[in-house]
């Protein structure tokens, strides 16, 4: 509760001190509020909302199944092994998110599609390198540090940790491609793909957790 309260206060403070002033200084003034424009913006963004909602549900589906099927101790192991994989996603986002506006400008210029493809391939390759670096770190000092932090021996889960890191890299690549498809204004296609994946996520985690 204290952590959530502190996060809310910090978010409000940074909005007032940083985000709002930068918005006034760096962005051009827009026209006044228009309800038809609001509806148009909602229609454009609604598929993105649905896609992100399903993405988060799919990502957390193993936790939901584990909570229903396994003892609570398994949540500790899963969360500890999941954290390094999540760091791959966060690290990748810190790199490519500042480039999205520039990539959108490149995509709009049909003469620069080769440059756009090079950026796309470069970011995917960079995500692969980040995944490899995290795997090397975890193989070297990561697991001993986790043993010390949690007071649990994770050496027997070394193989599962590497598998989790690979899935973390795949998740980072998926998140990046989601941004790219949004730049291309094909967000409805993303929604359809995540809806299909959600259907599979209902059954596959149950089979893996309960019967594997």
């Amino acid at each position: 509760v204290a952590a959530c309260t502190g996060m809310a206060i910090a978010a409000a403070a940074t909005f007032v001190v940083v985000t709002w002033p930068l918005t006034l200084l760096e962005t051009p003034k827009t026209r006044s509020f228009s309800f038809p424009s609001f509806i148009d913006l909602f229609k454009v963004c609604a598929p993105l909302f649905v896609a992100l909602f399903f993405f988060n549900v799919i990502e957390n589906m193993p936790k939901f199944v584990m909570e229903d099927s396994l003892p609570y101790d398994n949540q500790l192991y899963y969360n500890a092994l999941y954290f390094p994989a999540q760091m791959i996603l966060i690290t990748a986002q810190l790199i490519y998110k500042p480039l999205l506006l520039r990539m959108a400008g490149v995509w709009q210029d049909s003469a620069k599609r080769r440059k756009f493809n090079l950026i796309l391939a470069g970011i995917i390759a960079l995500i692969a390198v980040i995944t490899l670096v995290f795997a090397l770190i975890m193989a070297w000092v990561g697991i001993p540090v986790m043993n010390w932090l949690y007071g649990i021996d994770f050496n027997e889960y070394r193989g599962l940790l590497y598998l989790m890191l690979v899935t973390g890299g795949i998740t980072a690549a998926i998140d990046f491609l989601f941004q790219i498809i949004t730049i291309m204004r094909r967000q409805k296609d993303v929604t359809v793909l995540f809806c299909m994946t959600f259907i599979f996520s209902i059954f596959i985690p149950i089979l893996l957790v309960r019967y594997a």
Side-chain angles (χ1 to χ4, degrees):
V1 175
C4 292
T5 303
M7 183 174 66
I9 294 173
T14 54
F15 175 78
V16 173
V17 177
V18 180
T19 306
W20 183 253
L22 288 177
T23 301
L24 295 176
L25 292 173
E26 295 187 357
T27 57
K29 291 185 178 181
T30 59
R31 59 190 179 189
S32 59
F33 176 79
S34 169
F35 190 76
S37 297
F38 171 79
I39 296 299
D40 291 338
L41 182 62
F42 179 82
K43 290 179 180 179
V44 172
C45 295
L48 297 176
F49 163 76
V50 175
L52 284 174
F53 175 79
F54 278 122
F55 176 81
N56 284 281
V57 173
I58 294 166
E59 191 177 33
N60 288 282
M61 190 64 74
K63 292 184 180 181
F64 300 151
V65 177
M66 289 173 62
E67 186 174 359
D68 182 62
S69 306
L70 299 175
Y72 185 74
D73 292 346
N74 290 272
Q75 291 277 1
L76 171 62
Y77 288 101
Y78 179 84
N79 290 329
L81 296 174
Y82 179 76
F83 178 72
Q86 185 71 9
M87 285 301 300
I88 295 174
L89 173 62
I90 295 173
T91 303
Q93 288 178 338
L94 290 173
I95 294 172
Y96 68 71
K97 281 198 170 181
L99 301 175
L100 291 177
L101 183 59
R102 182 177 299 177
M103 292 186 68
V106 173
W107 172 257
Q108 291 176 359
D109 188 349
S110 59
K112 296 182 179 180
R113 293 298 165 82
R114 177 179 172 82
K115 181 179 179 181
F116 183 87
N117 293 335
L118 290 174
I119 297 174
L120 174 61
I123 297 296
I124 293 295
L126 185 59
I127 291 174
V129 171
I130 293 172
T131 304
L132 179 60
V133 170
F134 269 84
L136 294 175
I137 292 174
M138 295 306 298
W140 177 36
V141 296
I143 292 180
V145 170
M146 289 175 60
N147 294 341
W148 176 74
L149 286 175
Y150 293 94
I152 299 173
D153 186 9
F154 284 95
N155 286 291
E156 60 179 310
Y157 300 104
R158 186 179 292 269
L160 291 176
L161 175 61
Y162 296 149
L163 180 61
M164 189 73 79
L165 290 173
V166 172
T167 59
I170 294 174
T171 302
I174 291 172
D175 184 73
F176 173 64
L177 292 176
F178 170 78
Q179 308 293 337
I180 295 301
I181 295 176
T182 303
I183 289 175
M184 296 177 178
R185 300 294 188 266
R186 302 288 297 273
Q187 53 265 40
K188 292 183 179 179
D189 295 340
V190 178
T191 304
V192 173
L193 291 174
F194 274 123
C195 287
M196 294 172 60
T197 307
F198 172 73
I199 295 174
F200 284 100
S201 73
I202 295 175
F203 303 102
I204 293 178
I206 295 176
L207 294 175
L208 292 176
V209 172
R210 292 186 179 180
Y211 304 108

